[in-house]
Amino acid sequence: MKLIRFGAPGQEKPGVIIKDKRYDVSHLVADYNEAFFTGDGIEQLKNKISNGNLPEVSADERLGAPLARPSKIICVGLNYKDHAAETNAPIPTEPILFFKSTTAIVGPDDDLIIPKNSTKTDWEVELAIVIGKKASYIDEQDALNHVAGYTLHNDYSERAFQLERNGQWVKGKSCDTFAPIGPFIATPDEIEDVHNLRLWLKVNDKVLQDGNTSNLIFDVPFIVSYISQFMTLLPGDVISTGTPAGVGLGQKPEPWYLNPGDIVALGIDGLGSSTQHVKEYQP
């Protein structure tokens, strides 16, 4: 199943994609939130869909993030060897974790707004995990039973805020519009092998990132289990698993970053694609 949310910002309704067409399921479920993912929300929705006709949604309708604001977004840093190398960082011996504010979440094709006083806004295509079952101190072999699905995420980062302003990385990760998610959440049965997915990103039609999840340092079951040793993961929580090489910070001979007018496009096998137009902050 592929879950979407559609409509104007702040007024999104839940929907699904079936055979490349969008359908409204707002009469069957309130929203894709913690309450929905708790228990058997996805299976119940599947059963309800099979029993009736669904209103079709226009392909022109805006897509929002495919889940309502989760309790948290947890990100894994430096989880591809080539990305660690390009940033001159050592290979982590344990996952590097940081938070990203949920207020950064926007739809997959919403504009990216360069933050006020930003000089180094960067891109990062990432596979994101959506938690489907409360997880606390779970074993690695049980981790996938706690996954509701997977989605595309661009973990935008303001490198000066992140690396030059002291403290933790969260300051450079949490600006408004810095977490476009979607276009949809794919349930695990939609993905043949989550550890063999191509992920790519272009800026102004130039391919800058072209990697594969087979190169993750810490794979999906390990990440979910590991994080659950330090905090309770709630249904609907998002875990972003890291980015391959090719970010602005790693460009040679010198780093370069996004400017108003740029267009960022990205995608992952089986999880669709998204496009963000870069615009200047306006007070």
Side-chain angles (χ1 to χ4, degrees), residues 99-128:
F99 284 104
K100 192 176 186 86
S101 173
T102 58
T103 54
I105 294 175
V106 290
D109 299 315
D110 289 346
D111 294 335
L112 168 71
I113 307 301
I114 299 289
K116 185 178 180 180
N117 300 319
S118 167
T119 59
K120 297 180 180 180
T121 294
D122 204 347
W123 57 86
E124 297 187 32
V125 59
E126 303 201 4
L127 168 73

Side-chain angles (χ1 to χ4, degrees), residues 27-277:
H27 59 298
L28 301 177
V29 59
D31 207 348
Y32 298 141
N33 52 20
E34 182 179 341
F36 170 80
F37 288 110
T38 299
D40 296 324
I42 290 176
E43 289 303 316
Q44 290 177 21
L45 180 58
K46 286 182 180 178
N47 293 334
K48 291 175 182 178
I49 287 173
S50 65
N51 294 329
N53 294 323
L54 302 175
E56 191 168 343
V57 176
S58 169
D60 296 328
E61 190 82 49
R62 171 190 173 269
L63 291 181
L67 74 170
R69 188 180 295 173
S71 80
K72 50 189 171 292
I73 304 172
I74 312 103
C75 300
V76 183
L78 302 174
N79 200 23
Y80 288 79
K81 290 181 180 178
D82 57 358
H83 176 53
E86 73 174 347
T87 58
N88 298 314
I91 303 298
T93 57
E94 292 188 49
I96 296 171
L97 304 182
F98 60 90
F99 284 104
K100 192 176 186 86
S101 173
T102 58
T103 54
I105 294 175
V106 290
D109 299 315
D110 289 346
D111 294 335
L112 168 71
I113 307 301
I114 299 289
K116 185 178 180 180
N117 300 319
S118 167
T119 59
K120 297 180 180 180
T121 294
D122 204 347
W123 57 86
E124 297 187 32
V125 59
E126 303 201 4
L127 168 73
I129 305 162
V130 179
I131 296 298
K133 180 181 176 183
K134 185 178 178 179
S136 178
Y137 297 111
I138 62 169
D139 294 330
E140 189 174 344
Q141 58 266 31
D142 187 42
L144 293 182
N145 293 325
H146 294 260
V147 173
Y150 305 98
T151 190
L152 172 65
H153 174 220
N154 195 342
D155 175 27
Y156 280 113
S157 310
E158 212 297 337
R159 301 301 188 186
F161 297 176
Q162 176 190 359
L163 303 172
E164 301 169 21
R165 299 286 297 272
N166 294 330
Q168 299 179 341
W169 289 0
V170 64
K171 288 189 291 189
K173 298 285 187 173
S174 296
C175 304
D176 291 351
T177 75
F178 267 30
I181 297 178
F184 53 81
I185 296 169
T187 52
D189 58 292
E190 294 274 349
I191 304 298
E192 183 175 349
D193 182 0
V194 74
H195 298 115
N196 186 25
L197 302 177
R198 179 182 178 236
L199 61 171
W200 57 269
L201 181 143
K202 302 177 183 178
V203 177
N204 302 330
D205 287 328
K206 180 179 181 180
V207 177
L208 296 173
Q209 292 187 273
D210 192 352
N212 193 289
T213 57
S214 62
N215 295 318
L216 285 166
I217 297 171
F218 305 106
D219 65 13
V220 170
F222 183 88
I223 289 169
V224 174
S225 171
Y226 180 87
I227 295 174
S228 80
Q229 309 306 310
F230 301 95
M231 68 194 78
T232 296
L233 295 168
L234 296 178
D237 281 355
V238 174
I239 301 172
S240 203
T241 61
T243 197
V247 301
L249 179 64
Q251 295 300 306
K252 302 294 187 288
E254 292 185 359
W256 58 271
Y257 302 99
L258 295 171
N259 291 295
D262 289 338
I263 300 174
V264 182
L266 59 151
I268 300 178
D269 288 351
L271 296 176
S273 61
S274 66
T275 301
Q276 294 96 48
H277 292 253

